[in-house]
Amino acid sequence: MNESIEISVGIDDTDSPKGMCTTYVMYRFVNRAMAEGFEIIGMPRLVRLNPACPFKTRGNAALGVDIRLDQNKISVLKNMLLDTIFELSEIKEKNTNPAFVIFERKNINDKLVNFSRNAVKRVVELNEALSLIKSYATFSFGFNGPRGLIGALAAAAYDFPSGYTYELIAYRVKEMRGKKRLVDPKSVFEADAATRGCTFDNVDTENGEIKITPHTPCPVLLGIRGLDVNCIKKAFDLLKIEEPVEGYMVYKTNQATDDHIINLERINDIEPLTSVSIKGNVVSLPRQIKGGHVFVEITDGFDKIRIAAYEPTRSFRKVLMSLRPGDTIQVWGSYKPRENEPPTINLEKIRIINLAQYGKLMNPVCPVCGTRMKSEGKDKGYQCPKCKYKLKNAEKVFEPEKRDIQPGFYDVPPKARRHLSKPSFLVVLKDEGKS
Ligand code: ATP
C-alpha cells in the first residue's frame, strides 16, 4: 500500500479588477481534488492579508487548503493546480501574479507561521518568502513574477492566532458573470433576521443595503458570514436567488478577528502601512471638511496624531463630532502615509473610555420655586425673579454640560467595515489551546 502524506496548498493573486476571484480558483481546485479521491482536511482557508498593503487590488484575500493523498499522487496534484490556475487566472494582466505553493504539513514550522502572521499585520519582503519557500516547500510556482508567492505561502501556513469566522461563498455560472446579481434584497433582510447572532454583517440596516453581493465582474454571486456553518447554510437556503448557482463552498476565515491590529502604547511606534490600536486623549475640537470627512487630534502624552472618519463611515462621523478635548479614547485603524497630509489613522472603531467634564458657572436656582435666580450685584447675593426669594451668601454653581455621547464602543457601519475588522459586538471562534 502507498503511504499517504498531508500537504498544505496556498494560492494567491489570480484575479484582476477585470475579473476572477482566488476563492473561485480554490473552489474549482478543491472540487477537482475531491473528484480525484484526495481527502480535504478541515475547511479551506480564506485568509485576508494586510489591508494596508499597497500591492492589493481589492480585499487582499489569499487561499489555503490541507489535503491528504497518496505520496505517489503528488505530481497529479501539482498538475491539477497548474491546470486550474492556467485555466482560470487573469494571466494576461501583467499586474496579476498567480502563484501556488505546496508544503508537507510536517514542514510547516514557526518561521512559516510567523511569516504568515506578519503578512496579515505588515508589508513583508518577497525575498523572505522566497528563501522560506526554498528551504521548506515541496513545490512552488509563480506566473508573471514571484510576488503572488507571498500570499500563497501566508495562506498555506496561517494558523488563525486571533480566532476565526466562516464565510459561505456561492458562485455564478459563466454566462452570468458581469451581469446584475439576481438576489432578492428583501430575502437577504429576512434571512439576516432569521439567523442574526450566528450570522453577521450581511446587511447594513443603517443604510438599508445588503452586503452579501459584491459589485465586481467576478464569479462570486454572494458571501454569507457567520459563526456557525449550519446557521450560514440556513441563511443561504432562505435567500431568493433568481439565477443559476454553480455551487458554493464554506471557508474558515480570519475575517472579523482584528488579526491585522498591532496593539501599541506610543504613537511614535506606529509603522506606515499597518493597522493599530492605541489609547490617547483628544487634544482638538473635531473638524469636518468639504466632502464630509471628520478629523480629530489625539495625544499619548508625548506625540500627536490625527484620527479620521471618512464620508463612507456615515453616522460613525457623529461620534467623532461629539468628541471634546480631554476625552480619553482607544482607536483602531490603519496608517497609510499620504503626500501633503499629516499622519492620520483611518478609523475602524473607537472606544470612549472617559468623557471630559464640560460645563459653566451659573447663577443658582431658586430653592423655593426652581427658577434661575438673578444677581443683585457684586457680592450682594441673588433674587428669584418669580417669587422674589433672596439668597444672601450664595455663589455661582458649576453646571456640567450634558454630552451627547456615552462611554463605550462605536463601530463603523457594516458597509464601511474592513474584512478583518472585528465588530465590537462579535465574539469570534477559537480552537482549543490557541493563544
Ligand atoms: P482579492 O481580490 O482576492 O481580495 P487582491 O486582488 O486585493 O485580493 P491580490 O490579487 O491577492 O490582492 O494581490 C495582492 C498581492 O500582494 C499578492 O501578490 C500578494 O502576494 C501580495 N501581498 C499580500 N499581502 C502582502 C503583504 N503583507 N506584504 C507584501 N506583499 C503582500
PDB file of all heavy atoms in Angstrom, residues 12-15 21-22 48-50 53 55-62 97 118-120 122-125 147-152, ligand 1:
ATOM      1  N   ASP A  12      -2.579  32.375  -4.479  1.00  0.00           N
ATOM      2  CA  ASP A  12      -2.887  33.811  -4.383  1.00  0.00           C
ATOM      3  C   ASP A  12      -2.716  34.515  -5.720  1.00  0.00           C
ATOM      4  O   ASP A  12      -2.101  33.981  -6.649  1.00  0.00           O
ATOM      5  CB  ASP A  12      -1.985  34.481  -3.345  1.00  0.00           C
ATOM      6  CG  ASP A  12      -2.500  35.874  -2.956  1.00  0.00           C
ATOM      7  OD1 ASP A  12      -3.711  36.128  -3.148  1.00  0.00           O
ATOM      8  OD2 ASP A  12      -1.714  36.697  -2.478  1.00  0.00           O
ATOM      9  N   ASP A  13      -3.279  35.705  -5.767  1.00  0.00           N
ATOM     10  CA  ASP A  13      -3.084  36.684  -6.849  1.00  0.00           C
ATOM     11  C   ASP A  13      -3.491  36.164  -8.218  1.00  0.00           C
ATOM     12  O   ASP A  13      -2.749  36.300  -9.197  1.00  0.00           O
ATOM     13  CB  ASP A  13      -1.609  37.139  -6.855  1.00  0.00           C
ATOM     14  CG  ASP A  13      -1.468  38.568  -7.373  1.00  0.00           C
ATOM     15  OD1 ASP A  13      -2.398  39.059  -8.036  1.00  0.00           O
ATOM     16  OD2 ASP A  13      -0.413  39.177  -7.131  1.00  0.00           O
ATOM     17  N   THR A  14      -4.683  35.599  -8.308  1.00  0.00           N
ATOM     18  CA  THR A  14      -5.154  35.065  -9.596  1.00  0.00           C
ATOM     19  C   THR A  14      -6.103  36.028 -10.292  1.00  0.00           C
ATOM     20  O   THR A  14      -6.483  35.809 -11.436  1.00  0.00           O
ATOM     21  CB  THR A  14      -5.919  33.743  -9.381  1.00  0.00           C
ATOM     22  OG1 THR A  14      -7.070  34.029  -8.591  1.00  0.00           O
ATOM     23  CG2 THR A  14      -5.055  32.706  -8.709  1.00  0.00           C
ATOM     24  N   ASP A  15      -6.529  37.090  -9.559  1.00  0.00           N
ATOM     25  CA  ASP A  15      -7.561  37.951 -10.134  1.00  0.00           C
ATOM     26  C   ASP A  15      -7.026  39.312 -10.526  1.00  0.00           C
ATOM     27  O   ASP A  15      -5.893  39.670 -10.208  1.00  0.00           O
ATOM     28  CB  ASP A  15      -8.748  38.105  -9.170  1.00  0.00           C
ATOM     29  CG  ASP A  15      -8.310  38.548  -7.784  1.00  0.00           C
ATOM     30  OD1 ASP A  15      -7.189  39.062  -7.646  1.00  0.00           O
ATOM     31  OD2 ASP A  15      -9.089  38.377  -6.849  1.00  0.00           O
ATOM     32  N   CYS A  21     -11.656  35.543  -9.130  1.00  0.00           N
ATOM     33  CA  CYS A  21     -11.578  35.678  -7.674  1.00  0.00           C
ATOM     34  C   CYS A  21     -10.809  34.445  -7.213  1.00  0.00           C
ATOM     35  O   CYS A  21     -11.122  33.327  -7.645  1.00  0.00           O
ATOM     36  CB  CYS A  21     -12.985  35.685  -7.068  1.00  0.00           C
ATOM     37  SG  CYS A  21     -12.957  35.597  -5.276  1.00  0.00           S
ATOM     38  N   THR A  22      -9.815  34.642  -6.375  1.00  0.00           N
ATOM     39  CA  THR A  22      -8.979  33.494  -5.970  1.00  0.00           C
ATOM     40  C   THR A  22      -9.804  32.457  -5.208  1.00  0.00           C
ATOM     41  O   THR A  22      -9.494  31.274  -5.245  1.00  0.00           O
ATOM     42  CB  THR A  22      -7.748  33.967  -5.167  1.00  0.00           C
ATOM     43  OG1 THR A  22      -7.100  34.985  -5.923  1.00  0.00           O
ATOM     44  CG2 THR A  22      -6.757  32.850  -4.926  1.00  0.00           C
ATOM     45  N   ARG A  48      -7.392  36.859   4.890  1.00  0.00           N
ATOM     46  CA  ARG A  48      -7.238  38.263   4.470  1.00  0.00           C
ATOM     47  C   ARG A  48      -5.884  38.746   4.957  1.00  0.00           C
ATOM     48  O   ARG A  48      -5.602  38.680   6.155  1.00  0.00           O
ATOM     49  CB  ARG A  48      -8.346  39.128   5.073  1.00  0.00           C
ATOM     50  CG  ARG A  48      -9.736  38.727   4.640  1.00  0.00           C
ATOM     51  CD  ARG A  48     -10.019  39.167   3.238  1.00  0.00           C
ATOM     52  NE  ARG A  48     -11.335  38.736   2.791  1.00  0.00           N
ATOM     53  CZ  ARG A  48     -11.823  38.996   1.592  1.00  0.00           C
ATOM     54  NH1 ARG A  48     -11.119  39.666   0.693  1.00  0.00           N
ATOM     55  NH2 ARG A  48     -13.017  38.571   1.258  1.00  0.00           N
ATOM     56  N   LEU A  49      -5.058  39.225   4.041  1.00  0.00           N
ATOM     57  CA  LEU A  49      -3.731  39.737   4.407  1.00  0.00           C
ATOM     58  C   LEU A  49      -3.818  41.239   4.640  1.00  0.00           C
ATOM     59  O   LEU A  49      -4.883  41.843   4.491  1.00  0.00           O
ATOM     60  CB  LEU A  49      -2.734  39.371   3.315  1.00  0.00           C
ATOM     61  CG  LEU A  49      -2.650  37.858   3.020  1.00  0.00           C
ATOM     62  CD1 LEU A  49      -1.721  37.585   1.847  1.00  0.00           C
ATOM     63  CD2 LEU A  49      -2.194  37.091   4.241  1.00  0.00           C
ATOM     64  N   ASN A  50      -2.684  41.830   5.007  1.00  0.00           N
ATOM     65  CA  ASN A  50      -2.628  43.244   5.413  1.00  0.00           C
ATOM     66  C   ASN A  50      -3.502  44.154   4.539  1.00  0.00           C
ATOM     67  O   ASN A  50      -3.211  44.349   3.360  1.00  0.00           O
ATOM     68  CB  ASN A  50      -1.162  43.698   5.360  1.00  0.00           C
ATOM     69  CG  ASN A  50      -0.997  45.131   5.800  1.00  0.00           C
ATOM     70  OD1 ASN A  50      -1.963  45.786   6.166  1.00  0.00           O
ATOM     71  ND2 ASN A  50       0.232  45.609   5.765  1.00  0.00           N
ATOM     72  N   CYS A  53      -1.761  46.967   2.630  1.00  0.00           N
ATOM     73  CA  CYS A  53      -0.676  46.614   1.695  1.00  0.00           C
ATOM     74  C   CYS A  53      -0.891  47.303   0.345  1.00  0.00           C
ATOM     75  O   CYS A  53      -1.972  47.213  -0.228  1.00  0.00           O
ATOM     76  CB  CYS A  53      -0.657  45.094   1.520  1.00  0.00           C
ATOM     77  SG  CYS A  53       0.502  44.561   0.275  1.00  0.00           S
ATOM     78  N   PHE A  55       0.122  46.536  -2.575  1.00  0.00           N
ATOM     79  CA  PHE A  55       0.045  45.673  -3.767  1.00  0.00           C
ATOM     80  C   PHE A  55      -1.334  45.078  -3.985  1.00  0.00           C
ATOM     81  O   PHE A  55      -1.596  44.442  -4.991  1.00  0.00           O
ATOM     82  CB  PHE A  55       1.058  44.512  -3.662  1.00  0.00           C
ATOM     83  CG  PHE A  55       2.427  44.965  -3.313  1.00  0.00           C
ATOM     84  CD1 PHE A  55       3.041  44.564  -2.139  1.00  0.00           C
ATOM     85  CD2 PHE A  55       3.115  45.828  -4.161  1.00  0.00           C
ATOM     86  CE1 PHE A  55       4.306  44.998  -1.803  1.00  0.00           C
ATOM     87  CE2 PHE A  55       4.385  46.266  -3.838  1.00  0.00           C
ATOM     88  CZ  PHE A  55       4.985  45.853  -2.654  1.00  0.00           C
ATOM     89  N   LYS A  56      -2.211  45.220  -3.017  1.00  0.00           N
ATOM     90  CA  LYS A  56      -3.525  44.579  -3.163  1.00  0.00           C
ATOM     91  C   LYS A  56      -4.398  45.368  -4.137  1.00  0.00           C
ATOM     92  O   LYS A  56      -4.209  46.585  -4.294  1.00  0.00           O
ATOM     93  CB  LYS A  56      -4.208  44.464  -1.811  1.00  0.00           C
ATOM     94  CG  LYS A  56      -4.556  45.809  -1.227  1.00  0.00           C
ATOM     95  CD  LYS A  56      -5.615  45.724  -0.188  1.00  0.00           C
ATOM     96  CE  LYS A  56      -6.261  47.076  -0.016  1.00  0.00           C
ATOM     97  NZ  LYS A  56      -7.452  47.101   0.756  1.00  0.00           N
ATOM     98  N   THR A  57      -5.317  44.691  -4.781  1.00  0.00           N
ATOM     99  CA  THR A  57      -6.252  45.429  -5.635  1.00  0.00           C
ATOM    100  C   THR A  57      -7.619  45.542  -4.974  1.00  0.00           C
ATOM    101  O   THR A  57      -8.326  46.515  -5.164  1.00  0.00           O
ATOM    102  CB  THR A  57      -6.409  44.756  -7.015  1.00  0.00           C
ATOM    103  OG1 THR A  57      -6.548  43.358  -6.819  1.00  0.00           O
ATOM    104  CG2 THR A  57      -5.219  45.035  -7.888  1.00  0.00           C
ATOM    105  N   ARG A  58      -7.994  44.519  -4.191  1.00  0.00           N
ATOM    106  CA  ARG A  58      -9.307  44.584  -3.531  1.00  0.00           C
ATOM    107  C   ARG A  58      -9.183  44.191  -2.061  1.00  0.00           C
ATOM    108  O   ARG A  58      -8.674  44.939  -1.257  1.00  0.00           O
ATOM    109  CB  ARG A  58     -10.295  43.686  -4.268  1.00  0.00           C
ATOM    110  CG  ARG A  58     -10.612  44.207  -5.657  1.00  0.00           C
ATOM    111  CD  ARG A  58     -11.861  43.579  -6.218  1.00  0.00           C
ATOM    112  NE  ARG A  58     -11.725  42.147  -6.379  1.00  0.00           N
ATOM    113  CZ  ARG A  58     -11.720  41.521  -7.549  1.00  0.00           C
ATOM    114  NH1 ARG A  58     -11.858  42.192  -8.652  1.00  0.00           N
ATOM    115  NH2 ARG A  58     -11.602  40.212  -7.616  1.00  0.00           N
ATOM    116  N   GLY A  59      -9.638  42.982  -1.730  1.00  0.00           N
ATOM    117  CA  GLY A  59      -9.697  42.608  -0.316  1.00  0.00           C
ATOM    118  C   GLY A  59      -8.475  41.875   0.197  1.00  0.00           C
ATOM    119  O   GLY A  59      -8.475  41.370   1.310  1.00  0.00           O
ATOM    120  N   ASN A  60      -7.414  41.781  -0.614  1.00  0.00           N
ATOM    121  CA  ASN A  60      -6.175  41.076  -0.246  1.00  0.00           C
ATOM    122  C   ASN A  60      -6.434  39.693   0.353  1.00  0.00           C
ATOM    123  O   ASN A  60      -5.930  39.364   1.423  1.00  0.00           O
ATOM    124  CB  ASN A  60      -5.314  41.923   0.696  1.00  0.00           C
ATOM    125  CG  ASN A  60      -3.834  41.613   0.485  1.00  0.00           C
ATOM    126  OD1 ASN A  60      -3.473  40.824  -0.382  1.00  0.00           O
ATOM    127  ND2 ASN A  60      -2.979  42.237   1.270  1.00  0.00           N
ATOM    128  N   ALA A  61      -7.218  38.911  -0.393  1.00  0.00           N
ATOM    129  CA  ALA A  61      -7.503  37.542   0.040  1.00  0.00           C
ATOM    130  C   ALA A  61      -6.452  36.588  -0.511  1.00  0.00           C
ATOM    131  O   ALA A  61      -5.985  36.747  -1.633  1.00  0.00           O
ATOM    132  CB  ALA A  61      -8.878  37.121  -0.469  1.00  0.00           C
ATOM    133  N   ALA A  62      -6.054  35.610   0.298  1.00  0.00           N
ATOM    134  CA  ALA A  62      -5.213  34.504  -0.174  1.00  0.00           C
ATOM    135  C   ALA A  62      -5.882  33.226   0.343  1.00  0.00           C
ATOM    136  O   ALA A  62      -6.596  33.260   1.337  1.00  0.00           O
ATOM    137  CB  ALA A  62      -3.801  34.637   0.364  1.00  0.00           C
ATOM    138  N   ASN A  97      -0.136  38.211 -10.584  1.00  0.00           N
ATOM    139  CA  ASN A  97       0.993  37.270 -10.444  1.00  0.00           C
ATOM    140  C   ASN A  97       0.512  35.963  -9.811  1.00  0.00           C
ATOM    141  O   ASN A  97       0.836  35.665  -8.654  1.00  0.00           O
ATOM    142  CB  ASN A  97       2.097  37.843  -9.547  1.00  0.00           C
ATOM    143  CG  ASN A  97       2.641  39.178 -10.017  1.00  0.00           C
ATOM    144  OD1 ASN A  97       3.268  39.897  -9.261  1.00  0.00           O
ATOM    145  ND2 ASN A  97       2.414  39.534 -11.266  1.00  0.00           N
ATOM    146  N   ASN A 118       2.744  37.764  10.066  1.00  0.00           N
ATOM    147  CA  ASN A 118       3.297  39.070   9.715  1.00  0.00           C
ATOM    148  C   ASN A 118       2.669  39.629   8.439  1.00  0.00           C
ATOM    149  O   ASN A 118       2.482  40.845   8.320  1.00  0.00           O
ATOM    150  CB  ASN A 118       4.801  38.922   9.481  1.00  0.00           C
ATOM    151  CG  ASN A 118       5.581  39.824  10.391  1.00  0.00           C
ATOM    152  OD1 ASN A 118       5.029  40.729  11.003  1.00  0.00           O
ATOM    153  ND2 ASN A 118       6.868  39.590  10.459  1.00  0.00           N
ATOM    154  N   ALA A 119       2.360  38.749   7.507  1.00  0.00           N
ATOM    155  CA  ALA A 119       1.774  39.192   6.232  1.00  0.00           C
ATOM    156  C   ALA A 119       0.365  39.753   6.446  1.00  0.00           C
ATOM    157  O   ALA A 119      -0.163  40.469   5.598  1.00  0.00           O
ATOM    158  CB  ALA A 119       1.742  38.035   5.233  1.00  0.00           C
ATOM    159  N   VAL A 120      -0.247  39.413   7.582  1.00  0.00           N
ATOM    160  CA  VAL A 120      -1.559  39.978   7.914  1.00  0.00           C
ATOM    161  C   VAL A 120      -1.382  41.358   8.566  1.00  0.00           C
ATOM    162  O   VAL A 120      -2.219  42.239   8.423  1.00  0.00           O
ATOM    163  CB  VAL A 120      -2.344  39.018   8.837  1.00  0.00           C
ATOM    164  CG1 VAL A 120      -3.666  39.627   9.284  1.00  0.00           C
ATOM    165  CG2 VAL A 120      -2.595  37.688   8.139  1.00  0.00           C
ATOM    166  N   ARG A 122       1.767  43.358   8.495  1.00  0.00           N
ATOM    167  CA  ARG A 122       2.763  44.290   7.938  1.00  0.00           C
ATOM    168  C   ARG A 122       2.939  44.046   6.451  1.00  0.00           C
ATOM    169  O   ARG A 122       2.379  43.104   5.907  1.00  0.00           O
ATOM    170  CB  ARG A 122       4.115  44.075   8.630  1.00  0.00           C
ATOM    171  CG  ARG A 122       4.070  44.329  10.109  1.00  0.00           C
ATOM    172  CD  ARG A 122       5.434  44.196  10.750  1.00  0.00           C
ATOM    173  NE  ARG A 122       5.355  44.653  12.123  1.00  0.00           N
ATOM    174  CZ  ARG A 122       4.886  43.929  13.139  1.00  0.00           C
ATOM    175  NH1 ARG A 122       4.511  42.684  12.938  1.00  0.00           N
ATOM    176  NH2 ARG A 122       4.798  44.435  14.359  1.00  0.00           N
ATOM    177  N   VAL A 123       3.791  44.872   5.833  1.00  0.00           N
ATOM    178  CA  VAL A 123       4.214  44.580   4.462  1.00  0.00           C
ATOM    179  C   VAL A 123       5.485  43.744   4.589  1.00  0.00           C
ATOM    180  O   VAL A 123       6.440  44.167   5.252  1.00  0.00           O
ATOM    181  CB  VAL A 123       4.481  45.873   3.665  1.00  0.00           C
ATOM    182  CG1 VAL A 123       5.001  45.544   2.276  1.00  0.00           C
ATOM    183  CG2 VAL A 123       3.198  46.696   3.581  1.00  0.00           C
ATOM    184  N   VAL A 124       5.456  42.547   4.026  1.00  0.00           N
ATOM    185  CA  VAL A 124       6.594  41.634   4.187  1.00  0.00           C
ATOM    186  C   VAL A 124       7.448  41.622   2.918  1.00  0.00           C
ATOM    187  O   VAL A 124       7.008  42.052   1.850  1.00  0.00           O
ATOM    188  CB  VAL A 124       6.112  40.201   4.542  1.00  0.00           C
ATOM    189  CG1 VAL A 124       5.541  40.146   5.936  1.00  0.00           C
ATOM    190  CG2 VAL A 124       5.100  39.701   3.526  1.00  0.00           C
ATOM    191  N   GLU A 125       8.666  41.108   3.059  1.00  0.00           N
ATOM    192  CA  GLU A 125       9.624  41.123   1.947  1.00  0.00           C
ATOM    193  C   GLU A 125       9.470  39.886   1.078  1.00  0.00           C
ATOM    194  O   GLU A 125       9.396  38.760   1.584  1.00  0.00           O
ATOM    195  CB  GLU A 125      11.059  41.152   2.504  1.00  0.00           C
ATOM    196  CG  GLU A 125      11.421  42.430   3.221  1.00  0.00           C
ATOM    197  CD  GLU A 125      11.411  43.636   2.292  1.00  0.00           C
ATOM    198  OE1 GLU A 125      11.748  43.462   1.107  1.00  0.00           O
ATOM    199  OE2 GLU A 125      11.040  44.729   2.763  1.00  0.00           O
ATOM    200  N   ARG A 147       5.646  37.665  -7.025  1.00  0.00           N
ATOM    201  CA  ARG A 147       5.003  38.356  -5.896  1.00  0.00           C
ATOM    202  C   ARG A 147       3.856  37.567  -5.262  1.00  0.00           C
ATOM    203  O   ARG A 147       3.659  37.587  -4.050  1.00  0.00           O
ATOM    204  CB  ARG A 147       4.512  39.736  -6.330  1.00  0.00           C
ATOM    205  CG  ARG A 147       3.798  40.468  -5.217  1.00  0.00           C
ATOM    206  CD  ARG A 147       3.748  41.954  -5.395  1.00  0.00           C
ATOM    207  NE  ARG A 147       5.048  42.567  -5.476  1.00  0.00           N
ATOM    208  CZ  ARG A 147       5.847  42.765  -4.428  1.00  0.00           C
ATOM    209  NH1 ARG A 147       5.476  42.389  -3.230  1.00  0.00           N
ATOM    210  NH2 ARG A 147       7.013  43.326  -4.592  1.00  0.00           N
ATOM    211  N   GLY A 148       3.097  36.848  -6.073  1.00  0.00           N
ATOM    212  CA  GLY A 148       1.948  36.094  -5.556  1.00  0.00           C
ATOM    213  C   GLY A 148       2.346  35.024  -4.548  1.00  0.00           C
ATOM    214  O   GLY A 148       1.511  34.543  -3.769  1.00  0.00           O
ATOM    215  N   LEU A 149       3.636  34.656  -4.552  1.00  0.00           N
ATOM    216  CA  LEU A 149       4.089  33.614  -3.615  1.00  0.00           C
ATOM    217  C   LEU A 149       4.004  34.079  -2.159  1.00  0.00           C
ATOM    218  O   LEU A 149       3.899  33.259  -1.249  1.00  0.00           O
ATOM    219  CB  LEU A 149       5.523  33.188  -3.950  1.00  0.00           C
ATOM    220  CG  LEU A 149       5.628  32.306  -5.200  1.00  0.00           C
ATOM    221  CD1 LEU A 149       7.067  32.174  -5.660  1.00  0.00           C
ATOM    222  CD2 LEU A 149       5.018  30.925  -4.927  1.00  0.00           C
ATOM    223  N   ILE A 150       4.040  35.401  -1.941  1.00  0.00           N
ATOM    224  CA  ILE A 150       3.914  35.915  -0.569  1.00  0.00           C
ATOM    225  C   ILE A 150       2.578  35.459   0.022  1.00  0.00           C
ATOM    226  O   ILE A 150       2.515  34.842   1.087  1.00  0.00           O
ATOM    227  CB  ILE A 150       4.005  37.460  -0.539  1.00  0.00           C
ATOM    228  CG1 ILE A 150       5.411  37.911  -0.929  1.00  0.00           C
ATOM    229  CG2 ILE A 150       3.604  38.014   0.824  1.00  0.00           C
ATOM    230  CD1 ILE A 150       5.583  39.421  -1.014  1.00  0.00           C
ATOM    231  N   GLY A 151       1.512  35.764  -0.699  1.00  0.00           N
ATOM    232  CA  GLY A 151       0.171  35.413  -0.206  1.00  0.00           C
ATOM    233  C   GLY A 151      -0.036  33.904  -0.187  1.00  0.00           C
ATOM    234  O   GLY A 151      -0.677  33.373   0.726  1.00  0.00           O
ATOM    235  N   ALA A 152       0.517  33.212  -1.208  1.00  0.00           N
ATOM    236  CA  ALA A 152       0.346  31.756  -1.273  1.00  0.00           C
ATOM    237  C   ALA A 152       0.982  31.107  -0.039  1.00  0.00           C
ATOM    238  O   ALA A 152       0.370  30.264   0.626  1.00  0.00           O
ATOM    239  CB  ALA A 152       0.960  31.219  -2.563  1.00  0.00           C
TER     240      ALA A 152
HETATM  241  P1  ATP B   1      -8.670  39.680  -3.677  1.00  0.00           P
HETATM  242  O1  ATP B   1      -9.243  40.427  -4.842  1.00  0.00           O
HETATM  243  O2  ATP B   1      -8.533  38.200  -3.925  1.00  0.00           O
HETATM  244  O3  ATP B   1      -9.305  40.018  -2.404  1.00  0.00           O
HETATM  245  P2  ATP B   1      -6.448  41.425  -4.085  1.00  0.00           P
HETATM  246  O4  ATP B   1      -6.762  41.496  -5.534  1.00  0.00           O
HETATM  247  O5  ATP B   1      -6.741  42.594  -3.228  1.00  0.00           O
HETATM  248  O6  ATP B   1      -7.131  40.125  -3.488  1.00  0.00           O
HETATM  249  P3  ATP B   1      -4.138  40.017  -4.712  1.00  0.00           P
HETATM  250  O7  ATP B   1      -4.620  39.859  -6.094  1.00  0.00           O
HETATM  251  O8  ATP B   1      -4.099  38.802  -3.869  1.00  0.00           O
HETATM  252  O9  ATP B   1      -4.957  41.099  -3.905  1.00  0.00           O
HETATM  253  O10 ATP B   1      -2.740  40.737  -4.775  1.00  0.00           O
HETATM  254  C1  ATP B   1      -2.052  41.116  -3.647  1.00  0.00           C
HETATM  255  C2  ATP B   1      -0.563  40.903  -3.892  1.00  0.00           C
HETATM  256  O11 ATP B   1       0.166  41.451  -2.807  1.00  0.00           O
HETATM  257  C3  ATP B   1      -0.190  39.433  -3.950  1.00  0.00           C
HETATM  258  O12 ATP B   1       0.807  39.288  -4.928  1.00  0.00           O
HETATM  259  C4  ATP B   1       0.375  39.115  -2.569  1.00  0.00           C
HETATM  260  O13 ATP B   1       1.348  38.102  -2.603  1.00  0.00           O
HETATM  261  C5  ATP B   1       0.947  40.460  -2.177  1.00  0.00           C
HETATM  262  N1  ATP B   1       0.807  40.697  -0.737  1.00  0.00           N
HETATM  263  C6  ATP B   1      -0.274  40.462   0.022  1.00  0.00           C
HETATM  264  N2  ATP B   1      -0.055  40.797   1.305  1.00  0.00           N
HETATM  265  C7  ATP B   1       1.193  41.276   1.361  1.00  0.00           C
HETATM  266  C8  ATP B   1       1.991  41.779   2.427  1.00  0.00           C
HETATM  267  N3  ATP B   1       1.537  41.841   3.666  1.00  0.00           N
HETATM  268  N4  ATP B   1       3.250  42.191   2.124  1.00  0.00           N
HETATM  269  C9  ATP B   1       3.720  42.114   0.860  1.00  0.00           C
HETATM  270  N5  ATP B   1       3.003  41.648  -0.184  1.00  0.00           N
HETATM  271  C10 ATP B   1       1.756  41.226   0.057  1.00  0.00           C
END
